[in-house]
Amino acid sequence: MTNYALHPYHLVDMSPWPLTGSLGAFFLVSGLVKWFHFFTYDLLLVGLVSVGLTMVQWWRDVVREGTYMGLHSSEVQSGMQWGMVLFITSEVLFFFSFFWAFFHSSLWPCPEVGAVWPPSGIQPFNPFQIPLLNTAVLLASGATVTWAHHSLLHAEHSEAARALGLTIGLGLYFTALQALEYYEAPFSIADSVYGTTFFVATGFHGLHVIIGSSFLLVVWVRLVRAHFSPLHHLGFEAAAWYWHFVDVVWLFLYISIYWRGG
């Protein structure tokens, strides 16, 4: 606290969570490889438990520092905001590589796929069925998270909690619809470059929806516990930015892969 009194920055204490998180991620990836090759998931469970416990305890420490100890000054929050902006920028570049691969294959289809797009033998999804419904669901969730943000800015915490809960429900509904779509898919990830780019791009987006829903769920719990105020709600803003990023990526996926690419 002496350091905090002398300057507005937060010098974090030593923490074991980066180490346990790294080990958990190592066990998680190794467990996935072991599961794929040997169909045993003991190491995968160790990784999942390790990562889950690290997340809970690390987030607990951050909430304690920002909410109860008052260590997240305006300077600290500004740094966190820029960190979130850079993180989302890296995610944009991550998805850019998938779009690059898809357009490279679809605009100039090679003879190995029949020189046509979609490749010969591939029956793509109808873009005006489940994909269009998923688009409406995700756009609606973008509207509800904005509703929650504006309610919080006007100190209407109960209204914000209802809107954020609705956003989480829409995110889970989107995930369920995409799982149903995968289950009924007439092609697999091994079916030509179309199947690979389709499942990798939409699959990683689905993973981001699950991560974003978890992010929003943590924020909802904090909102119910009155951790946020109209002037101090960086955690909420970060979750809302991430969710809007997920919305925008889906619009590009729908237009390029489902509508134009089909």
Side-chain angles (χ1 to χ4, degrees):
M1 295 302 291
T2 302
N3 289 334
Y4 176 71
L6 294 176
H7 57 74
Y9 303 103
H10 176 206
L11 302 181
V12 297
D13 297 326
M14 294 183 64
S15 171
W17 310 133
L19 177 60
T20 60
S22 300
L23 291 174
F26 174 74
F27 291 143
L28 187 62
V29 175
S30 302
L32 280 171
V33 173
K34 187 178 179 183
W35 180 38
F36 291 159
H37 287 275
F38 303 106
F39 304 103
T40 58
Y41 49 85
D42 49 351
L43 191 59
L44 176 61
L45 291 178
V46 172
L48 287 171
V49 171
S50 301
V51 171
L53 290 176
T54 299
M55 289 165 57
V56 170
Q57 294 173 101
W58 202 342
W59 292 346
R60 177 205 61 193
D61 289 351
V62 173
V63 169
R64 181 188 295 130
E65 292 165 354
T67 304
Y68 300 112
M69 299 176 67
L71 297 177
H72 289 178
S73 63
S74 59
E75 290 286 348
V76 174
Q77 290 188 71
S78 176
M80 289 181 171
Q81 286 174 335
W82 277 110
M84 193 65 190
V85 169
L86 292 174
F87 170 68
I88 291 177
T89 302
S90 71
E91 292 280 68
V92 170
L93 297 176
F94 177 75
F95 277 98
F96 179 80
S97 63
F98 300 143
F99 286 110
W100 183 289
F102 181 82
F103 283 115
H104 173 78
S105 301
S106 62
L107 293 177
W108 300 280
C110 59
E112 286 78 7
V113 298
V116 293
W117 194 265
S120 300
I122 296 292
Q123 178 61 43
F125 288 103
N126 186 338
F128 301 107
Q129 293 180 349
I130 290 181
L132 182 60
L133 176 58
N134 259 344
T135 302
V137 168
L138 213 52
L139 289 177
S141 71
T144 54
V145 77
T146 302
W147 170 23
H149 191 191
H150 280 277
S151 298
L152 179 58
L153 290 175
H154 290 86
E156 299 173 352
H157 286 77
S158 59
E159 189 78 8
R162 282 194 293 270
L164 192 57
L166 183 57
T167 304
I168 297 168
L170 290 170
L172 295 177
Y173 184 42
F174 176 93
T175 303
L177 285 174
Q178 187 149 19
L180 175 63
E181 181 183 71
Y182 279 10
Y183 181 76
E184 296 181 343
F187 55 88
S188 72
I189 195 172
D191 285 330
S192 182
V193 67
Y194 183 91
T196 302
T197 53
F198 175 88
F199 280 105
V200 170
T202 59
F204 269 112
H205 177 267
L207 177 63
H208 281 71
V209 171
I210 294 173
I211 294 171
S213 299
S214 303
F215 198 176
L216 291 174
L217 180 60
V218 172
V219 169
W220 181 82
V221 172
R222 295 190 62 194
L223 184 62
V224 171
R225 294 185 177 183
H227 287 184
F228 300 125
S229 71
L231 300 178
H232 197 286
H233 54 271
L234 178 61
F236 186 101
E237 280 189 336
W241 292 352
Y242 187 84
W243 196 253
H244 287 308
F245 157 74
V246 170
D247 285 347
V248 173
V249 170
W250 175 257
L251 286 177
F252 280 100
L253 282 172
Y254 176 75
I255 294 171
S256 60
I257 295 181
Y258 285 99
W259 189 9
R260 181 204 160 276

